[in-house]
Amino acid sequence: MSKYLITGGAGFIGSHLAESLVGRGHSVRILDNFSTGRKENLSAVSGRVEILEGDIRDRDAVRTAVAGMDFVLHQAALVSVTQSVENPEETLAVNVAGTLNVMQAAREARIRKVVLASSCAVYGAGPIPAREEQSTMPLSPYAASKLAGESFALSYYSSYQLPCVCLRYFNVFGPRQDFHSPYSGVIAIFIARAVAGKPVTIYGDGRQTRDFIYVGDVVRANILACESDRADGRVLNIGSGRGRSLLELRSELEALCGVRMKLERSAPRTGDIRHSRCSPARARALLGFSPQTDFRAGLDATVRWQRDGSELKTP
Ligand code: UD1
């Protein structure tokens, strides 16, 4: 049994990590400022995780949270590209300075390993499928912040031998992904609109593609990264290896929900990338990781959660 700190543990991905680790008998502490995280996300592990309310920008809060842990899964971040374009300073403070606080506290506390949530946004308009060794090309302050976070983590590995793994998540979806905000992920928003019988807005022509990966697979990748040392000091793509356009996504959802989804068009978003798809080879070679959840099954679970499981229903 190990002790895990999950920053952002009340959020979408963090709460799935908490549930899985508790289920495996580990001890879990969560640091969350509840800006987007929600207590309800942790209802399945209520009373079985330690919850600290605090912000990763607060060095003392981070130090307290990290003390006594074996592993840190650093998920806390501002996740919206658009929000980063509107307010780059806040993205810098949370995603970069916050990550540095986590690395420094982990170094001081002699943590066994930090696993960092990074993003495929770092590839920008680079070649497809994206490989870890290719040049990065951040197109938004968000992408730049994730790349800077990776760089700090890797520098702590080189300078202080603090083991770390940077997981470049592609587009993660699944139950508990917030669907109320215009900054939410596209699948969460589209499902909410489909369920409510409302039109969806497509920014651009809808032919942009994303590599969608189910949250349960992302959880497995994090656990593998802790259990093996083969990926220490490396960045790894965590995606499905398959690109899907927004128009394909809409057709899948129409079939699944048995509805017609009206489209409203809007201009492409600033900072948006056109195509995204990973080469999953490195994660497979180093961690034996490959996604197990079929796209349709993941969508189905997400639709069911939005229909039945969520307390806040109105999009
Ligand atoms: C998402 C994540 C980001 C992650 C990245 C990895 C969110 C909010 N952002 O960014 O944290 O690092 O994946 O690739 O989860 N779109 C519409 N209509 C909508 C909403 C979105 O057309 O109502 C379009 C966007 O313009 C974009 C695509 O759908 O072209 C995906 O958008 P979004 O889900 O916000 O994800 P990313 O920007 O790829």
PDB file of all heavy atoms in Angstrom, residues 78-81 118-121 142 146 169-172 177 182-187 189-190 201-203 208 210 246 269 272-273 276, ligand 1:
ATOM      1  N   LEU A  78      -5.501  24.820 -14.892  1.00  0.00           N
ATOM      2  CA  LEU A  78      -6.555  25.438 -15.704  1.00  0.00           C
ATOM      3  C   LEU A  78      -6.496  24.742 -17.048  1.00  0.00           C
ATOM      4  O   LEU A  78      -5.438  24.704 -17.677  1.00  0.00           O
ATOM      5  CB  LEU A  78      -6.301  26.938 -15.866  1.00  0.00           C
ATOM      6  CG  LEU A  78      -6.434  27.770 -14.590  1.00  0.00           C
ATOM      7  CD1 LEU A  78      -6.227  29.246 -14.900  1.00  0.00           C
ATOM      8  CD2 LEU A  78      -7.801  27.576 -13.943  1.00  0.00           C
ATOM      9  N   VAL A  79      -7.611  24.181 -17.498  1.00  0.00           N
ATOM     10  CA  VAL A  79      -7.539  23.266 -18.642  1.00  0.00           C
ATOM     11  C   VAL A  79      -8.040  23.862 -19.956  1.00  0.00           C
ATOM     12  O   VAL A  79      -7.969  23.202 -20.987  1.00  0.00           O
ATOM     13  CB  VAL A  79      -8.315  21.944 -18.375  1.00  0.00           C
ATOM     14  CG1 VAL A  79      -7.736  21.244 -17.166  1.00  0.00           C
ATOM     15  CG2 VAL A  79      -9.806  22.187 -18.210  1.00  0.00           C
ATOM     16  N   SER A  80      -8.531  25.096 -19.905  1.00  0.00           N
ATOM     17  CA  SER A  80      -9.144  25.629 -21.125  1.00  0.00           C
ATOM     18  C   SER A  80      -8.181  26.476 -21.952  1.00  0.00           C
ATOM     19  O   SER A  80      -7.554  27.409 -21.443  1.00  0.00           O
ATOM     20  CB  SER A  80     -10.360  26.468 -20.739  1.00  0.00           C
ATOM     21  OG  SER A  80     -10.717  27.313 -21.795  1.00  0.00           O
ATOM     22  N   VAL A  81      -8.097  26.144 -23.226  1.00  0.00           N
ATOM     23  CA  VAL A  81      -7.275  26.908 -24.165  1.00  0.00           C
ATOM     24  C   VAL A  81      -7.828  28.342 -24.267  1.00  0.00           C
ATOM     25  O   VAL A  81      -7.092  29.326 -24.165  1.00  0.00           O
ATOM     26  CB  VAL A  81      -7.270  26.223 -25.553  1.00  0.00           C
ATOM     27  CG1 VAL A  81      -6.602  27.100 -26.596  1.00  0.00           C
ATOM     28  CG2 VAL A  81      -6.590  24.855 -25.470  1.00  0.00           C
ATOM     29  N   SER A 118       0.313  16.492 -18.477  1.00  0.00           N
ATOM     30  CA  SER A 118       0.622  17.458 -19.528  1.00  0.00           C
ATOM     31  C   SER A 118      -0.411  17.302 -20.648  1.00  0.00           C
ATOM     32  O   SER A 118      -1.446  16.649 -20.453  1.00  0.00           O
ATOM     33  CB  SER A 118       2.047  17.262 -20.032  1.00  0.00           C
ATOM     34  OG  SER A 118       2.338  18.250 -21.002  1.00  0.00           O
ATOM     35  N   SER A 119      -0.131  17.884 -21.788  1.00  0.00           N
ATOM     36  CA  SER A 119      -1.154  17.918 -22.832  1.00  0.00           C
ATOM     37  C   SER A 119      -0.560  17.813 -24.222  1.00  0.00           C
ATOM     38  O   SER A 119       0.533  18.333 -24.492  1.00  0.00           O
ATOM     39  CB  SER A 119      -1.909  19.237 -22.744  1.00  0.00           C
ATOM     40  OG  SER A 119      -2.701  19.434 -23.896  1.00  0.00           O
ATOM     41  N   CYS A 120      -1.329  17.213 -25.121  1.00  0.00           N
ATOM     42  CA  CYS A 120      -0.920  17.150 -26.522  1.00  0.00           C
ATOM     43  C   CYS A 120      -0.954  18.520 -27.169  1.00  0.00           C
ATOM     44  O   CYS A 120      -0.460  18.699 -28.283  1.00  0.00           O
ATOM     45  CB  CYS A 120      -1.844  16.226 -27.284  1.00  0.00           C
ATOM     46  SG  CYS A 120      -3.507  16.834 -27.340  1.00  0.00           S
ATOM     47  N   ALA A 121      -1.532  19.509 -26.455  1.00  0.00           N
ATOM     48  CA  ALA A 121      -1.535  20.875 -27.000  1.00  0.00           C
ATOM     49  C   ALA A 121      -0.112  21.349 -27.273  1.00  0.00           C
ATOM     50  O   ALA A 121       0.101  22.222 -28.125  1.00  0.00           O
ATOM     51  CB  ALA A 121      -2.230  21.817 -26.017  1.00  0.00           C
ATOM     52  N   TYR A 142      -2.042  28.329 -22.968  1.00  0.00           N
ATOM     53  CA  TYR A 142      -2.263  27.043 -22.287  1.00  0.00           C
ATOM     54  C   TYR A 142      -1.186  26.033 -22.687  1.00  0.00           C
ATOM     55  O   TYR A 142      -0.566  25.392 -21.837  1.00  0.00           O
ATOM     56  CB  TYR A 142      -3.661  26.496 -22.642  1.00  0.00           C
ATOM     57  CG  TYR A 142      -3.851  25.069 -22.184  1.00  0.00           C
ATOM     58  CD1 TYR A 142      -4.088  24.788 -20.851  1.00  0.00           C
ATOM     59  CD2 TYR A 142      -3.747  23.998 -23.080  1.00  0.00           C
ATOM     60  CE1 TYR A 142      -4.228  23.472 -20.402  1.00  0.00           C
ATOM     61  CE2 TYR A 142      -3.877  22.691 -22.649  1.00  0.00           C
ATOM     62  CZ  TYR A 142      -4.131  22.433 -21.316  1.00  0.00           C
ATOM     63  OH  TYR A 142      -4.241  21.140 -20.880  1.00  0.00           O
ATOM     64  N   LYS A 146       1.765  24.247 -20.313  1.00  0.00           N
ATOM     65  CA  LYS A 146       1.952  22.801 -20.103  1.00  0.00           C
ATOM     66  C   LYS A 146       3.390  22.398 -20.465  1.00  0.00           C
ATOM     67  O   LYS A 146       3.998  21.579 -19.793  1.00  0.00           O
ATOM     68  CB  LYS A 146       0.930  22.017 -20.936  1.00  0.00           C
ATOM     69  CG  LYS A 146      -0.460  22.042 -20.320  1.00  0.00           C
ATOM     70  CD  LYS A 146      -0.477  21.178 -19.071  1.00  0.00           C
ATOM     71  CE  LYS A 146      -1.718  21.307 -18.242  1.00  0.00           C
ATOM     72  NZ  LYS A 146      -1.696  20.469 -17.025  1.00  0.00           N
ATOM     73  N   TYR A 169      -1.607  14.027 -22.106  1.00  0.00           N
ATOM     74  CA  TYR A 169      -2.966  13.549 -22.365  1.00  0.00           C
ATOM     75  C   TYR A 169      -3.458  14.123 -23.689  1.00  0.00           C
ATOM     76  O   TYR A 169      -3.302  15.319 -23.954  1.00  0.00           O
ATOM     77  CB  TYR A 169      -3.942  14.037 -21.297  1.00  0.00           C
ATOM     78  CG  TYR A 169      -3.697  13.607 -19.863  1.00  0.00           C
ATOM     79  CD1 TYR A 169      -4.322  14.306 -18.830  1.00  0.00           C
ATOM     80  CD2 TYR A 169      -2.894  12.522 -19.532  1.00  0.00           C
ATOM     81  CE1 TYR A 169      -4.150  13.941 -17.505  1.00  0.00           C
ATOM     82  CE2 TYR A 169      -2.716  12.150 -18.205  1.00  0.00           C
ATOM     83  CZ  TYR A 169      -3.342  12.868 -17.194  1.00  0.00           C
ATOM     84  OH  TYR A 169      -3.172  12.522 -15.888  1.00  0.00           O
ATOM     85  N   PHE A 170      -4.120  13.284 -24.473  1.00  0.00           N
ATOM     86  CA  PHE A 170      -4.861  13.789 -25.623  1.00  0.00           C
ATOM     87  C   PHE A 170      -6.253  14.172 -25.099  1.00  0.00           C
ATOM     88  O   PHE A 170      -6.358  14.575 -23.944  1.00  0.00           O
ATOM     89  CB  PHE A 170      -4.776  12.778 -26.784  1.00  0.00           C
ATOM     90  CG  PHE A 170      -3.431  12.911 -27.482  1.00  0.00           C
ATOM     91  CD1 PHE A 170      -2.245  12.635 -26.805  1.00  0.00           C
ATOM     92  CD2 PHE A 170      -3.340  13.400 -28.775  1.00  0.00           C
ATOM     93  CE1 PHE A 170      -0.992  12.844 -27.399  1.00  0.00           C
ATOM     94  CE2 PHE A 170      -2.091  13.607 -29.387  1.00  0.00           C
ATOM     95  CZ  PHE A 170      -0.928  13.326 -28.695  1.00  0.00           C
ATOM     96  N   ASN A 171      -7.315  14.145 -25.881  1.00  0.00           N
ATOM     97  CA  ASN A 171      -8.574  14.722 -25.376  1.00  0.00           C
ATOM     98  C   ASN A 171      -9.325  13.719 -24.511  1.00  0.00           C
ATOM     99  O   ASN A 171      -9.935  12.781 -25.028  1.00  0.00           O
ATOM    100  CB  ASN A 171      -9.425  15.223 -26.546  1.00  0.00           C
ATOM    101  CG  ASN A 171      -8.865  16.516 -27.110  1.00  0.00           C
ATOM    102  OD1 ASN A 171      -7.730  16.549 -27.595  1.00  0.00           O
ATOM    103  ND2 ASN A 171      -9.638  17.584 -27.029  1.00  0.00           N
ATOM    104  N   VAL A 172      -9.279  13.947 -23.235  1.00  0.00           N
ATOM    105  CA  VAL A 172      -9.850  13.009 -22.262  1.00  0.00           C
ATOM    106  C   VAL A 172     -11.348  13.290 -22.112  1.00  0.00           C
ATOM    107  O   VAL A 172     -11.757  14.453 -22.054  1.00  0.00           O
ATOM    108  CB  VAL A 172      -9.154  13.164 -20.891  1.00  0.00           C
ATOM    109  CG1 VAL A 172      -9.604  12.066 -19.943  1.00  0.00           C
ATOM    110  CG2 VAL A 172      -7.635  13.160 -21.049  1.00  0.00           C
ATOM    111  N   GLN A 177     -16.966  14.811 -16.325  1.00  0.00           N
ATOM    112  CA  GLN A 177     -16.370  15.974 -16.989  1.00  0.00           C
ATOM    113  C   GLN A 177     -17.419  17.079 -16.982  1.00  0.00           C
ATOM    114  O   GLN A 177     -18.564  16.862 -17.408  1.00  0.00           O
ATOM    115  CB  GLN A 177     -15.972  15.624 -18.430  1.00  0.00           C
ATOM    116  CG  GLN A 177     -15.186  16.730 -19.111  1.00  0.00           C
ATOM    117  CD  GLN A 177     -14.556  16.268 -20.432  1.00  0.00           C
ATOM    118  OE1 GLN A 177     -15.097  15.383 -21.094  1.00  0.00           O
ATOM    119  NE2 GLN A 177     -13.438  16.860 -20.793  1.00  0.00           N
ATOM    120  N   PRO A 182     -18.852  27.165 -20.909  1.00  0.00           N
ATOM    121  CA  PRO A 182     -18.422  27.239 -22.309  1.00  0.00           C
ATOM    122  C   PRO A 182     -16.968  26.778 -22.477  1.00  0.00           C
ATOM    123  O   PRO A 182     -16.524  26.499 -23.585  1.00  0.00           O
ATOM    124  CB  PRO A 182     -18.560  28.727 -22.648  1.00  0.00           C
ATOM    125  CG  PRO A 182     -18.695  29.445 -21.357  1.00  0.00           C
ATOM    126  CD  PRO A 182     -19.206  28.470 -20.349  1.00  0.00           C
ATOM    127  N   TYR A 183     -16.230  26.675 -21.363  1.00  0.00           N
ATOM    128  CA  TYR A 183     -14.835  26.232 -21.414  1.00  0.00           C
ATOM    129  C   TYR A 183     -14.712  24.720 -21.274  1.00  0.00           C
ATOM    130  O   TYR A 183     -13.612  24.173 -21.245  1.00  0.00           O
ATOM    131  CB  TYR A 183     -14.028  26.884 -20.284  1.00  0.00           C
ATOM    132  CG  TYR A 183     -13.996  28.390 -20.335  1.00  0.00           C
ATOM    133  CD1 TYR A 183     -14.442  29.151 -19.262  1.00  0.00           C
ATOM    134  CD2 TYR A 183     -13.500  29.050 -21.456  1.00  0.00           C
ATOM    135  CE1 TYR A 183     -14.406  30.544 -19.302  1.00  0.00           C
ATOM    136  CE2 TYR A 183     -13.467  30.436 -21.501  1.00  0.00           C
ATOM    137  CZ  TYR A 183     -13.913  31.174 -20.428  1.00  0.00           C
ATOM    138  OH  TYR A 183     -13.875  32.545 -20.477  1.00  0.00           O
ATOM    139  N   SER A 184     -15.839  24.020 -21.134  1.00  0.00           N
ATOM    140  CA  SER A 184     -15.790  22.564 -20.940  1.00  0.00           C
ATOM    141  C   SER A 184     -15.320  21.865 -22.218  1.00  0.00           C
ATOM    142  O   SER A 184     -15.328  22.445 -23.303  1.00  0.00           O
ATOM    143  CB  SER A 184     -17.182  22.038 -20.583  1.00  0.00           C
ATOM    144  OG  SER A 184     -17.628  22.603 -19.375  1.00  0.00           O
ATOM    145  N   GLY A 185     -14.970  20.584 -22.084  1.00  0.00           N
ATOM    146  CA  GLY A 185     -14.538  19.792 -23.228  1.00  0.00           C
ATOM    147  C   GLY A 185     -15.701  19.557 -24.196  1.00  0.00           C
ATOM    148  O   GLY A 185     -16.870  19.521 -23.802  1.00  0.00           O
ATOM    149  N   VAL A 186     -15.349  19.381 -25.465  1.00  0.00           N
ATOM    150  CA  VAL A 186     -16.372  19.337 -26.517  1.00  0.00           C
ATOM    151  C   VAL A 186     -17.339  18.154 -26.348  1.00  0.00           C
ATOM    152  O   VAL A 186     -18.546  18.299 -26.585  1.00  0.00           O
ATOM    153  CB  VAL A 186     -15.711  19.365 -27.921  1.00  0.00           C
ATOM    154  CG1 VAL A 186     -14.920  18.091 -28.220  1.00  0.00           C
ATOM    155  CG2 VAL A 186     -16.728  19.615 -28.999  1.00  0.00           C
ATOM    156  N   ILE A 187     -16.853  17.004 -25.918  1.00  0.00           N
ATOM    157  CA  ILE A 187     -17.765  15.854 -25.789  1.00  0.00           C
ATOM    158  C   ILE A 187     -18.790  16.119 -24.689  1.00  0.00           C
ATOM    159  O   ILE A 187     -19.991  15.877 -24.866  1.00  0.00           O
ATOM    160  CB  ILE A 187     -16.975  14.544 -25.523  1.00  0.00           C
ATOM    161  CG1 ILE A 187     -16.207  14.150 -26.787  1.00  0.00           C
ATOM    162  CG2 ILE A 187     -17.903  13.419 -25.062  1.00  0.00           C
ATOM    163  CD1 ILE A 187     -15.545  12.782 -26.740  1.00  0.00           C
ATOM    164  N   ILE A 189     -19.895  18.963 -23.638  1.00  0.00           N
ATOM    165  CA  ILE A 189     -20.860  19.977 -24.092  1.00  0.00           C
ATOM    166  C   ILE A 189     -21.836  19.374 -25.108  1.00  0.00           C
ATOM    167  O   ILE A 189     -23.052  19.551 -24.999  1.00  0.00           O
ATOM    168  CB  ILE A 189     -20.137  21.184 -24.730  1.00  0.00           C
ATOM    169  CG1 ILE A 189     -19.332  21.934 -23.664  1.00  0.00           C
ATOM    170  CG2 ILE A 189     -21.128  22.124 -25.409  1.00  0.00           C
ATOM    171  CD1 ILE A 189     -18.526  23.121 -24.202  1.00  0.00           C
ATOM    172  N   PHE A 190     -21.314  18.636 -26.082  1.00  0.00           N
ATOM    173  CA  PHE A 190     -22.192  18.079 -27.124  1.00  0.00           C
ATOM    174  C   PHE A 190     -23.224  17.126 -26.516  1.00  0.00           C
ATOM    175  O   PHE A 190     -24.391  17.132 -26.910  1.00  0.00           O
ATOM    176  CB  PHE A 190     -21.362  17.353 -28.199  1.00  0.00           C
ATOM    177  CG  PHE A 190     -20.794  18.267 -29.271  1.00  0.00           C
ATOM    178  CD1 PHE A 190     -20.622  19.625 -29.036  1.00  0.00           C
ATOM    179  CD2 PHE A 190     -20.426  17.762 -30.522  1.00  0.00           C
ATOM    180  CE1 PHE A 190     -20.091  20.470 -30.017  1.00  0.00           C
ATOM    181  CE2 PHE A 190     -19.908  18.592 -31.516  1.00  0.00           C
ATOM    182  CZ  PHE A 190     -19.733  19.943 -31.256  1.00  0.00           C
ATOM    183  N   THR A 201     -22.819  24.265 -31.031  1.00  0.00           N
ATOM    184  CA  THR A 201     -22.027  25.240 -31.777  1.00  0.00           C
ATOM    185  C   THR A 201     -20.740  24.568 -32.218  1.00  0.00           C
ATOM    186  O   THR A 201     -20.087  23.896 -31.423  1.00  0.00           O
ATOM    187  CB  THR A 201     -21.673  26.446 -30.874  1.00  0.00           C
ATOM    188  OG1 THR A 201     -22.892  26.993 -30.391  1.00  0.00           O
ATOM    189  CG2 THR A 201     -20.901  27.502 -31.646  1.00  0.00           C
ATOM    190  N   ILE A 202     -20.423  24.738 -33.499  1.00  0.00           N
ATOM    191  CA  ILE A 202     -19.144  24.224 -34.009  1.00  0.00           C
ATOM    192  C   ILE A 202     -18.265  25.418 -34.360  1.00  0.00           C
ATOM    193  O   ILE A 202     -18.684  26.300 -35.113  1.00  0.00           O
ATOM    194  CB  ILE A 202     -19.369  23.318 -35.244  1.00  0.00           C
ATOM    195  CG1 ILE A 202     -20.025  22.028 -34.777  1.00  0.00           C
ATOM    196  CG2 ILE A 202     -18.079  23.095 -36.004  1.00  0.00           C
ATOM    197  CD1 ILE A 202     -19.578  20.775 -35.452  1.00  0.00           C
ATOM    198  N   TYR A 203     -17.089  25.461 -33.749  1.00  0.00           N
ATOM    199  CA  TYR A 203     -16.141  26.529 -34.056  1.00  0.00           C
ATOM    200  C   TYR A 203     -15.300  26.091 -35.244  1.00  0.00           C
ATOM    201  O   TYR A 203     -14.528  25.144 -35.141  1.00  0.00           O
ATOM    202  CB  TYR A 203     -15.261  26.830 -32.846  1.00  0.00           C
ATOM    203  CG  TYR A 203     -16.083  27.263 -31.645  1.00  0.00           C
ATOM    204  CD1 TYR A 203     -16.273  26.405 -30.561  1.00  0.00           C
ATOM    205  CD2 TYR A 203     -16.715  28.506 -31.617  1.00  0.00           C
ATOM    206  CE1 TYR A 203     -17.050  26.786 -29.473  1.00  0.00           C
ATOM    207  CE2 TYR A 203     -17.496  28.896 -30.540  1.00  0.00           C
ATOM    208  CZ  TYR A 203     -17.650  28.035 -29.474  1.00  0.00           C
ATOM    209  OH  TYR A 203     -18.420  28.411 -28.410  1.00  0.00           O
ATOM    210  N   GLN A 208     -12.021  19.669 -37.913  1.00  0.00           N
ATOM    211  CA  GLN A 208     -10.841  19.515 -37.048  1.00  0.00           C
ATOM    212  C   GLN A 208     -10.965  18.181 -36.320  1.00  0.00           C
ATOM    213  O   GLN A 208     -12.080  17.715 -36.053  1.00  0.00           O
ATOM    214  CB  GLN A 208     -10.702  20.687 -36.057  1.00  0.00           C
ATOM    215  CG  GLN A 208     -11.781  20.845 -35.007  1.00  0.00           C
ATOM    216  CD  GLN A 208     -12.838  21.839 -35.443  1.00  0.00           C
ATOM    217  OE1 GLN A 208     -13.408  21.715 -36.514  1.00  0.00           O
ATOM    218  NE2 GLN A 208     -13.143  22.805 -34.580  1.00  0.00           N
ATOM    219  N   ARG A 210      -9.668  15.306 -33.250  1.00  0.00           N
ATOM    220  CA  ARG A 210      -9.074  15.106 -31.933  1.00  0.00           C
ATOM    221  C   ARG A 210      -8.935  13.606 -31.694  1.00  0.00           C
ATOM    222  O   ARG A 210      -9.701  12.800 -32.217  1.00  0.00           O
ATOM    223  CB  ARG A 210      -9.975  15.703 -30.837  1.00  0.00           C
ATOM    224  CG  ARG A 210     -10.062  17.228 -30.831  1.00  0.00           C
ATOM    225  CD  ARG A 210      -8.740  17.859 -30.475  1.00  0.00           C
ATOM    226  NE  ARG A 210      -8.796  19.311 -30.355  1.00  0.00           N
ATOM    227  CZ  ARG A 210      -8.613  20.156 -31.356  1.00  0.00           C
ATOM    228  NH1 ARG A 210      -8.389  19.717 -32.586  1.00  0.00           N
ATOM    229  NH2 ARG A 210      -8.633  21.458 -31.133  1.00  0.00           N
ATOM    230  N   LEU A 246     -15.096  16.547 -35.403  1.00  0.00           N
ATOM    231  CA  LEU A 246     -16.271  16.922 -34.614  1.00  0.00           C
ATOM    232  C   LEU A 246     -17.549  16.481 -35.326  1.00  0.00           C
ATOM    233  O   LEU A 246     -18.543  16.145 -34.676  1.00  0.00           O
ATOM    234  CB  LEU A 246     -16.306  18.428 -34.386  1.00  0.00           C
ATOM    235  CG  LEU A 246     -15.152  19.029 -33.596  1.00  0.00           C
ATOM    236  CD1 LEU A 246     -15.455  20.470 -33.217  1.00  0.00           C
ATOM    237  CD2 LEU A 246     -14.852  18.226 -32.346  1.00  0.00           C
ATOM    238  N   ARG A 269     -11.809  29.087 -32.927  1.00  0.00           N
ATOM    239  CA  ARG A 269     -11.305  29.723 -31.711  1.00  0.00           C
ATOM    240  C   ARG A 269      -9.821  30.077 -31.846  1.00  0.00           C
ATOM    241  O   ARG A 269      -9.052  29.295 -32.427  1.00  0.00           O
ATOM    242  CB  ARG A 269     -11.410  28.747 -30.552  1.00  0.00           C
ATOM    243  CG  ARG A 269     -12.794  28.571 -30.007  1.00  0.00           C
ATOM    244  CD  ARG A 269     -12.714  27.436 -29.001  1.00  0.00           C
ATOM    245  NE  ARG A 269     -13.886  27.371 -28.164  1.00  0.00           N
ATOM    246  CZ  ARG A 269     -14.078  26.401 -27.270  1.00  0.00           C
ATOM    247  NH1 ARG A 269     -13.172  25.446 -27.133  1.00  0.00           N
ATOM    248  NH2 ARG A 269     -15.151  26.380 -26.531  1.00  0.00           N
ATOM    249  N   ASP A 272      -6.745  27.497 -31.215  1.00  0.00           N
ATOM    250  CA  ASP A 272      -7.201  26.133 -31.484  1.00  0.00           C
ATOM    251  C   ASP A 272      -6.218  25.404 -32.400  1.00  0.00           C
ATOM    252  O   ASP A 272      -5.656  26.012 -33.306  1.00  0.00           O
ATOM    253  CB  ASP A 272      -8.561  26.224 -32.201  1.00  0.00           C
ATOM    254  CG  ASP A 272      -9.463  25.049 -31.884  1.00  0.00           C
ATOM    255  OD1 ASP A 272      -9.300  24.441 -30.817  1.00  0.00           O
ATOM    256  OD2 ASP A 272     -10.337  24.743 -32.726  1.00  0.00           O
ATOM    257  N   ILE A 273      -6.035  24.109 -32.162  1.00  0.00           N
ATOM    258  CA  ILE A 273      -5.235  23.352 -33.114  1.00  0.00           C
ATOM    259  C   ILE A 273      -6.167  22.641 -34.085  1.00  0.00           C
ATOM    260  O   ILE A 273      -7.320  22.374 -33.775  1.00  0.00           O
ATOM    261  CB  ILE A 273      -4.241  22.385 -32.433  1.00  0.00           C
ATOM    262  CG1 ILE A 273      -4.947  21.362 -31.560  1.00  0.00           C
ATOM    263  CG2 ILE A 273      -3.208  23.134 -31.625  1.00  0.00           C
ATOM    264  CD1 ILE A 273      -3.985  20.370 -30.931  1.00  0.00           C
ATOM    265  N   SER A 276      -5.182  16.647 -34.255  1.00  0.00           N
ATOM    266  CA  SER A 276      -4.427  16.079 -33.143  1.00  0.00           C
ATOM    267  C   SER A 276      -4.634  14.570 -33.120  1.00  0.00           C
ATOM    268  O   SER A 276      -5.771  14.089 -33.147  1.00  0.00           O
ATOM    269  CB  SER A 276      -4.937  16.726 -31.846  1.00  0.00           C
ATOM    270  OG  SER A 276      -4.322  16.139 -30.741  1.00  0.00           O
TER     271      SER A 276
HETATM  272  C1  UD1 B   1      -8.685  19.842 -24.611  1.00  0.00           C
HETATM  273  C2  UD1 B   1      -8.651  20.110 -23.128  1.00  0.00           C
HETATM  274  C3  UD1 B   1      -7.269  20.483 -22.709  1.00  0.00           C
HETATM  275  C4  UD1 B   1      -6.343  19.354 -23.121  1.00  0.00           C
HETATM  276  C5  UD1 B   1      -6.437  19.169 -24.605  1.00  0.00           C
HETATM  277  C6  UD1 B   1      -5.620  18.035 -25.112  1.00  0.00           C
HETATM  278  C7  UD1 B   1     -10.747  20.866 -22.157  1.00  0.00           C
HETATM  279  C8  UD1 B   1     -11.639  22.023 -21.848  1.00  0.00           C
HETATM  280  N1  UD1 B   1      -9.606  21.176 -22.804  1.00  0.00           N
HETATM  281  O1  UD1 B   1      -8.394  21.036 -25.361  1.00  0.00           O
HETATM  282  O2  UD1 B   1      -7.208  20.687 -21.315  1.00  0.00           O
HETATM  283  O3  UD1 B   1      -5.040  19.627 -22.748  1.00  0.00           O
HETATM  284  O4  UD1 B   1      -7.767  18.851 -24.944  1.00  0.00           O
HETATM  285  O5  UD1 B   1      -5.765  18.071 -26.500  1.00  0.00           O
HETATM  286  O6  UD1 B   1     -11.060  19.752 -21.828  1.00  0.00           O
HETATM  287  N2  UD1 B   1     -15.477  22.942 -29.952  1.00  0.00           N
HETATM  288  C9  UD1 B   1     -16.626  23.211 -30.674  1.00  0.00           C
HETATM  289  N3  UD1 B   1     -17.772  23.452 -29.992  1.00  0.00           N
HETATM  290  C10 UD1 B   1     -17.844  23.464 -28.629  1.00  0.00           C
HETATM  291  C11 UD1 B   1     -16.663  23.195 -27.910  1.00  0.00           C
HETATM  292  C12 UD1 B   1     -15.488  22.942 -28.603  1.00  0.00           C
HETATM  293  O7  UD1 B   1     -16.610  23.215 -31.913  1.00  0.00           O
HETATM  294  O8  UD1 B   1     -18.933  23.697 -28.081  1.00  0.00           O
HETATM  295  C13 UD1 B   1     -14.238  22.631 -30.692  1.00  0.00           C
HETATM  296  C14 UD1 B   1     -13.030  23.470 -30.317  1.00  0.00           C
HETATM  297  O9  UD1 B   1     -12.976  24.690 -31.014  1.00  0.00           O
HETATM  298  C15 UD1 B   1     -11.896  22.507 -30.690  1.00  0.00           C
HETATM  299  C16 UD1 B   1     -12.480  21.128 -30.396  1.00  0.00           C
HETATM  300  O10 UD1 B   1     -13.890  21.292 -30.360  1.00  0.00           O
HETATM  301  O11 UD1 B   1     -11.618  22.591 -32.069  1.00  0.00           O
HETATM  302  C17 UD1 B   1     -12.019  20.572 -29.060  1.00  0.00           C
HETATM  303  O12 UD1 B   1     -12.205  21.572 -28.073  1.00  0.00           O
HETATM  304  P1  UD1 B   1     -12.052  21.269 -26.518  1.00  0.00           P
HETATM  305  O13 UD1 B   1     -12.863  20.107 -26.120  1.00  0.00           O
HETATM  306  O14 UD1 B   1     -12.254  22.569 -25.801  1.00  0.00           O
HETATM  307  O15 UD1 B   1     -10.562  20.725 -26.413  1.00  0.00           O
HETATM  308  P2  UD1 B   1      -9.117  21.230 -26.780  1.00  0.00           P
HETATM  309  O16 UD1 B   1      -9.074  22.691 -27.078  1.00  0.00           O
HETATM  310  O17 UD1 B   1      -8.602  20.273 -27.789  1.00  0.00           O
END
